[in-house]
């Protein structure tokens, strides 16, 4: 039984890094008219209400998206990401809302444009950046979050919502007929087997479709498998990919008194857009400055172009 619910973490520093990279990659995909397909192996609920008790329990978004909300002069990659989150405030994400909140929004009692209230997950961010020719495949195993996703995308023919294991399910969707594809692998890693499963899934995906742009989110924690995963994936990218890899790591916090905790996270991108490294070189120092929770906050940006 899966215990993890992304609603407790929506909009935190890890989401900021992951979703800013996702937006940049999709912008690049949209430079060509040819259709693309994104496969999200771990989709979550789609969108989140930050006023909900789950999000408010630890208010992780206050150490994440909140810190970028009203900041002028952000580098383009971050500014574009914040624009995507702002767009969600205007539209409202009704599946993430309770009825009373929907009424409040409809009656204009929420300052929808300015206040940060809703946070889009990877499915909603991707949907917003899709053109009519593009496709989205979502996998989510948690029954509640799968139900929320289904409701959110009901009747949307461009989106397929699957109640299935994303690691196993991705095979059916690669390569896409247009041979333009993005694979987002964003596990909660609550199961130890998620590390080898992520590695195997990437290897298999590249064997099927070497040009696939692969995005993997990796937690920065005191765990040998988590620490080894970026290098292991980079080696696979080098051997099986077409355009190298990029690894962006953001460290925002110190370990707790027992030496544990989420210190930050990273995104490993295989076959990255050629502009991504320069965009991240601008954005990461700003993320350190804005999201860092201690004086030693830092970033690393490593890349090998193929
Ligand atoms: C970190 S959250 C995803 C967040 C989402 N990608 C986003 O950026 O908004 C991970 C999700 O994966 C789901 N999950 C865990 N194992 C899974 C699996 N093997 N296949 C599909 N979903 C899984 C969890 O229920 C959880 O909702």
């Amino acid at each position: 039984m899966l215990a993890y619910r992304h609603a407790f973490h929506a909009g935190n520093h890890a989401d900021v890094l992951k979703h800013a990279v996702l937006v940049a990659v999709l912008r690049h995909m949209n430079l060509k008219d040819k259709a693309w397909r994104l496969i999200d192996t771990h989709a979550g609920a789609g969108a989140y209400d930050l006023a909900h008790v789950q999000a408010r329990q630890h208010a992780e978004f206050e150490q994440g998206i909140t810190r970028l909300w009203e900041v002028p002069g952000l580098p383009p990659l971050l500014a574009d990401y914040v624009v995507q989150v702002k767009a969600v405030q205007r539209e409202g994400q009704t599946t993430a809302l309770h009825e009373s909140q929907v009424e409040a929004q409809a009656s204009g009692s929420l300052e929808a444009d300015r206040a940060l209230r809703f946070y889009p997950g990877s499915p909603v961010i991707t949907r917003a950046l899709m053109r009519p020719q593009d496709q989205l495949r979502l996998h989510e195993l948690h029954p509640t979050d799968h139900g929320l996703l289904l409701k959110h995308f009901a009747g949307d023919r461009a989106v397929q919502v699957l109640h299935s294991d994303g690691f196993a399910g991705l095979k059916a969707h690669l390569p896409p007929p247009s041979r333009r594809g993005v694979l987002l692998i964003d596990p909660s890693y609550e199961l130890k087997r998620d590390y080898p499963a992520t590695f195997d899934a990437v290897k298999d995906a590249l064997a099927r479709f070497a040009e696939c742009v692969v995005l993997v989110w990796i937690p920065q924690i005191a765990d040998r498998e988590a620490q080894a995963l970026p290098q292991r994936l980079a080696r696979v990218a080098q051997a099986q990919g077409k355009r190298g890899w990029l690894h962006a790591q953001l460290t925002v916090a110190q370990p707790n008194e027992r030496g544990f905790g989420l210190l930050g996270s990273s995104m490993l991108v295989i076959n990255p857009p050629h502009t991504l490294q320069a965009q991240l070189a601008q954005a990461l120092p700003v993320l350190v400055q804005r999201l860092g929770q201690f004086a030693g906050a830092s970033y690393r940006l490593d890349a090998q172009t193929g």
Side-chain angles (χ1 to χ4, degrees):
M1 179 66 190
L2 295 166
Y4 181 93
R5 302 291 306 282
H6 198 66
F8 290 90
H9 310 284
N12 69 3
H13 58 83
D15 266 3
V16 169
L17 177 65
K18 169 179 55 189
H19 295 150
V21 169
L22 176 64
V23 170
V25 166
L26 295 183
R27 287 282 186 214
H28 187 84
M29 296 301 286
N30 286 350
L31 293 177
K32 286 189 189 156
D33 286 343
K34 204 168 174 194
W36 50 259
R37 172 186 288 172
L38 185 138
I39 299 129
D40 194 338
T41 58
H42 296 71
Y48 305 90
D49 180 0
L50 299 179
H52 191 278
V53 63
Q54 291 174 338
R56 282 167 46 152
Q57 183 166 328
H58 300 292
E60 292 187 19
F61 57 89
E62 288 179 0
Q63 314 264 30
I65 181 63
T66 301
R67 293 182 174 206
L68 298 180
W69 197 244
E70 298 292 355
V71 178
L74 288 172
L77 178 137
L78 297 178
D80 198 9
Y81 153 70
V82 173
V83 163
Q84 298 308 315
V85 185
K86 290 207 166 170
V88 168
Q89 317 308 312
R90 279 196 298 276
E91 289 155 19
Q93 296 301 319
T94 50
T95 56
L97 303 182
H98 295 295
E99 268 176 31
S100 58
Q101 294 161 347
V102 176
E103 281 162 21
Q105 194 183 41
S107 68
S109 59
L110 293 173
E111 285 186 281
D113 259 5
R114 270 170 287 149
L116 169 63
R117 171 67 186 274
F118 306 109
Y119 188 79
S122 51
V124 166
I125 290 175
T126 303
R127 185 66 186 96
L129 292 169
M130 282 164 64
R131 294 95 33 100
Q133 63 269 42
D134 303 325
Q135 299 176 335
L136 179 55
R137 302 280 191 262
L138 303 172
H139 299 83
E140 174 53 50
L141 270 184
H142 195 288
T144 309
D145 284 353
H146 172 256
L148 288 167
L149 269 184
L150 264 186
K151 206 165 152 194
H152 188 97
F153 292 108
D156 189 337
R157 295 175 60 150
V159 183
Q160 225 180 61
V161 178
L162 301 146
H163 192 200
S164 57
D165 179 348
F167 290 126
L170 64 87
K171 295 177 178 59
H173 308 287
L174 287 175
S178 66
R179 299 202 69 85
R180 296 190 77 220
V182 181
L183 174 63
L184 172 62
I185 305 184
D186 179 25
S188 50
Y189 298 99
E190 67 178 303
L191 304 174
K192 242 343 213 169
R193 67 164 188 261
D194 282 352
Y195 292 101
T198 296
F199 179 79
D200 291 344
V202 170
K203 210 166 178 308
D204 187 42
L206 290 175
R208 287 167 192 275
F209 181 33
E211 294 84 4
C212 189
V213 180
V214 182
L215 313 181
V216 184
W217 180 82
I218 302 163
Q220 196 186 342
I221 53 175
D223 178 284
R224 225 182 274 165
E225 280 191 276
Q227 289 164 1
L229 189 58
Q231 270 195 1
R232 295 187 69 206
L233 291 176
R235 279 198 292 272
V236 173
Q238 209 54 38
Q240 291 179 224
K242 290 282 185 196
R243 297 194 311 277
W245 55 269
L246 173 156
H247 184 229
Q249 184 177 62
L250 178 67
T251 305
V252 297
Q254 287 175 293
N256 62 24
E257 55 292 343
R258 290 168 47 241
F260 296 111
L262 183 65
L263 312 188
S265 66
S266 66
M267 287 295 282
L268 192 288
V269 185
I270 298 173
N271 296 322
H274 65 277
T275 46
L276 188 59
Q277 188 178 357
Q279 288 175 301
L280 281 166
Q282 269 189 316
L284 286 165
V286 177
L287 288 180
V288 168
Q289 187 199 359
R290 293 283 162 189
L291 309 190
Q293 299 167 25
F294 75 120
S298 62
Y299 76 92
R300 274 194 69 154
L301 180 57
D302 300 300
Q304 182 128 28
T305 44

